[in-house]
Amino acid sequence: MNIYKDYIKEIEERKTQGLHPKPIDGAELLSEIISQIKDSGNADRSDSLKFFIYNTLPGTTSAAGVKAKFLKEIILGEFVVEEISPAYAFELLSHMKGGPSIEVLLDLALGNDPAIAQEAANVLKTQVFLYQADTNRLKEAFESGNAIAKEILESYAKAEFFTKLPEVAEEIKVVTFIAGEGDISTDLLSPGNQAHSRSDRELHGKCMITPQAQEEIKALQAQHPDASVMLIAEKGTMGVGSSRMSGVNNVALWTGKQASPYVPFVNIAPIVGGTNGISPIFLTTVDVTGGIGVDLKNWVKKVDENGNPIRNENGDIVLEEAYSVATGTVLTINTKEKKLYNGDKELIDLTKSFTPQKMEFIKAGGSYAIVFGKKLQTFAAQLLGVEAPVVFAPSKEISHEGQGLTAVEKIFNRNAVGTTPGKVLHAGSDVRVQVNIVGSQDTTGLMTSQELESMAATVISPVVDGAYQSGCHTASVWDKKAQANIPKLMKFMNEFGLITARDPKGEYHAMTDVIHKVLNDITVDEWAIIIGGDSHTRMSKGVAFGADSGTVALALATGEASMPIPESVKVTFKGNMKEHMDFRDVVHATQAQMLKQFGGENVFQGRIIEVHIGTLPADQAFTFTDWTAEMKAKASINISEDNTLIESLEIAKGRIQIMIDKGMDNHNKVLQGLIDKANKRIEEIRSGEKPGLTPDANAKYYAEVVVDLDVIVEPMIADPDVNNDDVSKRYTHDTIRDLSYYGGEKKVDLGFVGSCMVHKGDLKIVSQMLRNIEKQQGKVEFSAPLVVAAPTYNIIDELKAEGDWELLEKYSAFEFDDNAPKGEARVEYKNVMYLERPGCNLCMGNQEKAAKGDTVLATSTRLFQGRVVEDSERKKGESLLASTPVVVLSAIIGRIPSIDEYKAAVEGIDLTTFVPSIKELTSTSAH
């Protein structure tokens, strides 16, 4: 059977699922399709033409190379296809977004036929995805006197690829669709358990919200053909939990518009809204697609005659509806006035949704085109020796005379690209920055590779210090989906220039370490900017931003990212930790105390949390920075004492060396380069040449939070509060309760110690608790299953050397075996301990899950509905989050313990303790 017949068979199978033919990305299949087009009598010729024109993926896919070559033959008259004229062939090339199409267009533009050269030049003037090989060809042709090359460069210098695009419509009509009440997790838009299908956009689109919601959206579109459907988080924030490009892709697929008639299932320009706006990292993803994110503020605090918020019997602030956005409400967005209207009635100002930069993204169909366009304009103007006209909105540069810099302001000032020389920038400035470290994770990596192909990138930017492709999100189960996707991903990323968890050649043992832990280790400069394809890209060195798969691709390809400098909230500590408390309790208490201090307002949302951690090394401090994603912060920065920073860098060096010893370094010696950088940084700190990063004493913060350790007397639990009468209060991370709230009675069906929130000390706590309980009771019996997943192999190796792993093995009924990994996810659990493979495990929800309706107590970060545990008919599933000792004891006794039971169980155990710095971690402003 030939490959085309296999494709037709797949098409028939997809029809039974209500799906269209899968887009073609392979050269072999498209070559066969082209041979059938050339055969005028072929029975499959008509279908082959449609597949060739409308169903071939652009960019640098191998199919795109074959398509571009055939279109070149048609333009040169080497082959005549009645249905594809040379003019139509040029149009098709114009939609192929770089790579082979640019190569062909340059061949034609710099060729000997003047008429063809002019046509090719006209198309090239509309293109922005050019790389160094392409611009080098233009440069050589221009320098040798080629008039067409000069004409193209002059067009680029004027940025005609942007200026000649249609302007953004002044009025955009929308019809509302309430996707949910309360915070909407990106899991609702793109469920983690469907991660395997993300690269098949049409198939993945079927999982958005529910089939019923999809039908309602279609009905609204039929009813209002002149309006876009706006998805809304009523009484909540849209897109919490992760950036999830697949979530935005799904929203665009159902409510956006097709990017090109010749590229299937790639839609742009979705419109989303939330009562409390859009999660920062999700909003970045919306920008990637040229979409619009609206902060609706349609529910406001109810106040008394004195202007004070009115509270209900539970002490919660009462909200009242400012205006309705009930499903089916027709509204108008005025992009010129930057306002939202219902008929003639003005509802709200939308200035933040339509900044000059965002207007450019909307006009260009996404942020990539702007990033590449700016680079192309700069290149052309410099080559021509002319001053580039001001076409794009100038970078917003905000500088306050005499005001010091926060830590993030310092980092951005150091890494800024293209700003006014010598100008000191403060929060609110819009900046292009150099990216030092980039991370791609495995359930979004296939999409990142697709994005790299679509923007015609073939090699990592030399600007990037180090980049890593993980295998942690699919570590639990090596099923057929993982076997099909992961090796292909690792090969692509390895060839692109990343350090990969899996060796495509199979020469080193696969490493399923949690991506954030690896990125935390390979970040060897606290002045670094890190971009990672996961919301928990939050390092304890440098400033890290979780991003969508597209922004990760852009960082890999260009070594840059663009964003405003965020405001900061300063967090410091006072008092002393109680001996029976764990640092995880301090993390939860930070959120609880912040909400209390600011009357329920989350001052962390959308801002940098600058935490003056002082004495806590990177591994332990990571627990705080990791949790800041759930605090809805944009990112977090740790301010450490110099000695602590050096200790953290030494640990990082050791971990990187282990990766080198395994054979993971590449031909560019990236890992060795990171060790060299770490050594240089340590020497700078020790010598005083460049002390550790600290903010200026006169820096300005949005708010300052002081966490009182003295008042944290009981373990703290983040509760999804699944039965709260107010739906909008469920599944947030803001309900923090102490242990006594549960009265020692709440049943626990499963305990989970794992995910990026735990470190080596947590696994030692597990073994110490087992030893303690064995000593007290003679044996250890579990009343609920306990799943333990170390985040890294290094931790396991160190525990083996120190004797802790042996004890864990003694009490486990299952231990992972890398030589025979699980082929299927576990669906039933016994009341025993499971030692699972390093990786994300239950936290991801895409492979392992608890039984439906379970009450899970976890060290994880995720308490969203359906993530770790789904609802059953009998009860709602709930995932409560707590420290390791609370989780372990709960699994042993089958319920959340009383405070006395807890204290007895942890007696003599070295918990993760924290002592605040006694000195002020600031420097004297030089500004």
Side-chain angles (χ1 to χ4, degrees):
M1 188 175 279
N2 67 24
I3 193 167
Y4 180 78
K5 286 181 180 172
D6 288 342
Y7 185 54
I8 298 301
K9 184 182 174 187
E10 181 192 68
I11 288 171
E12 293 305 315
E13 288 169 358
R14 286 174 72 86
K15 272 184 190 173
T16 64
Q17 300 171 267
L19 298 170
H20 293 86
K22 198 171 182 180
I24 297 163
D25 61 1
E28 193 179 349
L29 173 58
L30 199 68
S31 296
E32 195 165 315
I33 284 169
I34 290 169
S35 69
Q36 291 173 176
I37 292 171
K38 289 181 174 180
D39 178 5
S40 58
N42 193 288
D44 296 311
R45 186 175 182 278
S46 177
D47 284 343
S48 294
L49 267 166
K50 288 173 189 169
F51 293 142
F52 176 81
I53 294 169
Y54 298 107
N55 210 48
T56 304
L57 288 179
T60 56
T61 64
S62 58
V66 173
K67 182 172 182 174
K69 187 181 174 188
F70 185 44
L71 291 171
K72 182 182 179 184
E73 288 176 18
I74 293 169
I75 290 166
L76 292 173
E78 294 170 5
F79 199 90
V80 176
V81 178
E82 188 182 339
E83 297 86 349
I84 304 176
S85 66
Y88 191 28
F90 271 121
E91 183 183 345
L92 292 175
L93 281 168
S94 76
H95 285 258
M96 289 182 65
K97 292 180 72 176
S101 61
I102 298 294
E103 186 181 347
V104 163
L105 286 165
L106 284 169
D107 289 345
L108 298 170
L110 305 177
N112 299 321
D113 187 312
I116 288 175
Q118 190 61 60
E119 285 297 314
N122 292 342
V123 175
L124 276 168
K125 290 173 190 176
T126 68
Q127 305 296 299
V128 293
F129 292 104
L130 275 72
Y131 287 84
Q132 195 167 351
D134 306 315
T135 53
N136 281 348
R137 288 185 68 185
L138 277 174
K139 182 173 184 279
E140 287 168 18
F142 166 71
E143 288 174 345
S144 61
N146 186 295
I148 287 286
K150 185 183 180 201
E151 184 183 323
I152 294 166
L153 288 165
E154 286 172 342
S155 175
Y156 286 160
K158 295 174 194 168
E160 289 180 340
F161 47 75
F162 178 72
T163 60
K164 292 192 173 183
L165 292 172
E167 293 301 323
V168 177
E170 186 174 327
E171 288 194 345
I172 300 170
K173 199 171 171 184
V174 298
V175 57
T176 61
F177 177 78
I178 293 178
E181 215 174 308
D183 289 350
I184 289 184
S185 158
T186 46
D187 261 14
L188 186 74
L189 309 175
S190 167
N193 61 6
Q194 298 300 311
H196 63 278
S197 68
R198 286 178 187 160
S199 56
D200 185 346
R201 291 194 183 206
E202 187 191 18
L203 172 59
H204 194 67
K206 298 280 186 185
C207 71
M208 189 182 86
I209 314 178
T210 61
Q212 293 83 356
Q214 293 162 20
E215 290 303 314
E216 286 181 57
I217 290 168
K218 281 161 69 176
L220 285 170
Q221 288 166 332
Q223 238 178 308
H224 305 277
D226 59 339
S228 295
V229 175
M230 175 165 69
L231 254 60
I232 292 173
E234 176 78 318
K235 292 188 182 176
T237 304
M238 172 65 80
V240 301
S242 67
S243 48
R244 201 61 67 84
M245 185 83 195
S246 51
V248 172
N249 284 346
N250 281 352
V251 176
L253 192 64
W254 285 101
T255 67
K257 58 187 180 186
Q258 193 172 0
S260 163
Y262 309 114
V263 183
F265 314 119
V266 176
N267 282 19
I268 57 172
I271 302 175
V272 292
T275 293
N276 302 325
I278 319 297
S279 172
I281 52 175
F282 193 66
L283 188 55
T284 302
T285 321
V286 172
D287 289 342
V288 164
T289 58
I292 299 169
V294 179
D295 187 356
L296 291 166
K297 298 178 184 169
N298 58 311
W299 287 87
V300 296
K301 293 175 185 176
K302 192 171 183 178
V303 295
D304 59 23
E305 62 276 7
N306 299 316
N308 298 316
I310 296 171
R311 296 178 181 272
N312 61 19
E313 61 276 8
N314 297 323
D316 296 325
I317 291 172
V318 176
L319 300 176
E320 58 184 354
E321 193 174 46
Y323 62 93
S324 173
V325 292
T327 292
T329 305
V330 177
L331 304 171
T332 303
I333 294 171
N334 189 302
T335 62
K336 190 175 181 182
E337 296 176 13
K338 299 179 173 49
K339 300 200 185 284
L340 181 67
Y341 289 92
N342 188 333
D344 295 330
K345 185 184 178 186
E346 181 185 322
L347 300 177
I348 196 162
D349 180 81
L350 296 179
T351 302
K352 286 186 178 175
S353 297
F354 297 105
T355 63
Q357 287 76 20
K358 287 181 186 288
M359 287 292 281
E360 289 175 348
F361 299 159
I362 296 166
K363 178 177 175 175
S367 56
Y368 297 168
I370 298 299
V371 173
F372 276 85
K374 286 178 177 178
K375 288 171 82 81
L376 195 55
Q377 185 192 26
T378 302
F379 155 76
Q382 287 175 347
L383 183 57
L384 292 169
V386 300
E387 191 171 328
V390 178
V391 169
F392 300 103
S395 291
K396 191 176 176 184
E397 297 187 346
I398 295 173
S399 187
H400 302 293
E401 188 69 33
Q403 181 180 305
L405 297 173
T406 63
V408 74
E409 288 168 341
K410 285 190 173 183
I411 293 173
F412 270 63
N413 274 279
R414 191 193 82 158
N415 286 40
V417 177
T419 54
T420 303
K423 190 167 187 179
V424 175
L425 303 179
H426 287 95
S429 301
D430 205 273
V431 189
R432 274 168 60 210
V433 288
Q434 182 178 316
V435 174
N436 308 101
I437 301 290
V438 185
S440 169
Q441 53 100 329
D442 38 329
T443 53
T444 60
L446 283 169
M447 292 173 63
T448 298
S449 64
Q450 282 185 341
E451 297 288 343
L452 288 166
E453 286 178 331
S454 74
M455 63 176 76
T458 55
V459 66
I460 191 169
S461 167
V463 168
V464 176
D465 290 337
Y468 177 70
Q469 170 62 59
S470 83
C472 56
H473 289 65
T474 51
S476 307
V477 184
W478 192 236
D479 56 15
K480 288 180 181 176
K481 293 166 187 171
Q483 290 170 37
N485 289 332
I486 302 307
K488 183 169 67 173
L489 169 64
M490 295 293 170
K491 183 175 187 297
F492 178 95
M493 290 301 192
N494 197 282
E495 290 171 357
F496 196 83
L498 281 75
I499 303 298
T500 51
R502 226 171 241 284
D503 182 7
K505 303 182 198 73
E507 289 174 8
Y508 59 78
H509 184 272
M511 184 169 84
T512 58
D513 291 3
V514 175
I515 181 172
H516 326 302
K517 295 292 190 183
V518 179
L519 294 181
N520 203 39
D521 287 335
I522 68 172
T523 301
V524 293
D525 186 350
E526 80 281 17
W527 290 81
I529 291 179
I530 305 101
I531 296 287
D534 192 291
S535 59
H536 289 95
T537 306
R538 301 191 173 232
M539 306 301 99
S540 47
K541 301 183 292 292
V543 63
F545 298 95
D548 59 277
S549 50
T551 301
V552 170
L554 198 63
L556 288 170
T558 67
E560 290 184 14
S562 297
M563 67 185 92
I565 303 178
E567 293 177 300
S568 295
V569 175
K570 183 179 181 180
V571 175
T572 55
F573 304 88
K574 67 177 183 179
N576 298 289
M577 268 185 80
K578 305 290 182 285
E579 281 189 6
H580 61 279
M581 305 305 295
D582 184 82
F583 184 63
R584 176 70 183 254
D585 301 314
V586 174
V587 175
H588 285 173
T590 299
Q591 186 144 347
Q593 291 189 25
M594 175 274 293
L595 290 168
K596 189 174 180 183
Q597 284 175 40
F598 292 91
E601 179 195 353
N602 182 357
V603 297
F604 292 150
Q605 183 161 348
R607 300 185 176 92
I608 302 290
I609 299 178
E610 184 186 285
V611 55
H612 289 232
I613 208 84
T615 60
L616 211 54
D619 278 12
Q620 292 91 320
F622 187 80
T623 304
F624 190 102
T625 49
D626 204 21
W627 180 259
T628 61
E630 315 318 330
M631 296 180 191
K632 300 181 186 173
K634 179 85 172 169
S636 177
I637 295 181
N638 280 354
I639 307 300
S640 298
E641 292 182 1
D642 283 355
N643 288 341
T644 305
L645 181 55
I646 289 170
E647 181 187 347
S648 295
L649 290 171
E650 291 288 3
I651 292 168
K653 278 171 51 186
R655 304 262 173 81
I656 297 168
Q657 188 60 53
I658 290 169
M659 294 170 75
I660 293 172
D661 294 344
K662 285 183 70 172
M664 294 179 72
D665 214 348
N666 60 18
H667 68 280
N668 291 328
K669 301 293 180 191
V670 165
L671 294 176
Q672 184 56 52
L674 291 172
I675 287 182
D676 296 342
K677 284 182 174 68
N679 284 328
K680 182 174 183 286
R681 187 71 196 103
I682 290 167
E683 183 50 40
E684 287 173 342
I685 297 167
R686 280 193 176 134
S687 67
E689 179 189 340
K690 187 179 174 186
L693 171 68
T694 53
D696 291 331
N698 60 336
K700 186 179 178 184
Y701 296 91
Y702 177 81
E704 296 192 29
V705 176
V706 180
V707 181
D708 188 351
L709 301 176
D710 287 332
V711 302
I712 309 170
V713 295
E714 291 192 33
M716 312 289 283
I717 293 176
D719 193 322
D721 207 8
V722 298
N723 296 310
N724 194 312
D725 292 337
D726 184 345
V727 178
S728 69
K729 295 282 185 3
R730 299 176 191 170
Y731 305 106
T732 75
H733 284 77
D734 293 344
T735 304
I736 309 288
R737 292 171 168 151
D738 56 36
L739 203 65
S740 295
Y741 173 87
Y742 302 94
E745 295 176 356
K746 187 172 179 69
K747 184 175 183 292
V748 171
D749 299 303
L750 184 141
F752 171 51
V753 174
S755 92
C756 45
M757 287 292 282
V758 299
H759 55 87
K760 177 185 168 185
D762 289 282
L763 277 293
K764 288 185 82 71
I765 288 168
V766 177
S767 68
Q768 288 169 335
M769 287 193 72
L770 293 174
R771 194 178 286 117
N772 247 20
I773 288 165
E774 182 182 58
K775 193 174 178 182
Q776 291 167 6
Q777 301 178 9
K779 60 179 179 177
V780 178
E781 290 183 344
F782 291 92
S783 299
L786 178 64
V787 177
V788 177
T792 67
Y793 283 95
N794 286 341
I795 286 173
I796 293 174
D797 290 342
E798 289 168 24
L799 292 173
K800 284 178 177 176
E802 294 164 20
D804 294 277
W805 192 255
E806 191 179 338
L807 192 71
L808 294 175
E809 285 178 314
K810 174 183 173 182
Y811 282 106
S812 69
F814 170 86
E815 183 178 354
F816 74 93
D817 180 358
D818 277 338
N819 296 316
K822 279 187 298 186
E824 292 181 10
R826 185 178 283 109
V827 291
E828 291 182 357
Y829 296 83
K830 296 176 181 176
N831 292 343
V832 294
M833 186 167 77
Y834 299 85
L835 289 181
E836 295 287 356
R837 196 181 196 184
C840 304
N841 203 273
L842 283 162
C843 186
M844 257 305 289
N846 64 317
Q847 293 187 323
E848 302 281 71
K849 267 193 183 318
K852 289 182 179 180
D854 269 3
T855 292
V856 180
L857 199 63
T859 60
S860 172
T861 56
R862 299 309 202 193
L863 48 66
F864 303 122
Q865 187 171 17
R867 181 65 173 258
V868 171
V869 56
E870 293 174 358
D871 296 344
S872 71
E873 291 178 9
R874 65 184 172 86
K875 72 181 278 289
K876 290 178 181 292
E878 49 185 337
S879 173
L880 293 88
L881 310 178
S883 67
T884 294
V886 172
V887 171
V888 174
L889 183 57
S890 298
I892 290 169
I893 64 177
R895 56 182 170 77
I896 294 178
S898 69
I899 185 64
D900 290 335
E901 289 172 320
Y902 169 81
K903 283 183 176 178
V906 299
E907 193 175 342
I909 292 178
D910 184 19
L911 302 177
T912 310
T913 54
F914 166 60
V915 179
S917 284
I918 55 172
K919 60 183 179 182
E920 188 82 10
L921 297 174
T922 57
S923 53
T924 304
S925 171
H927 315 297

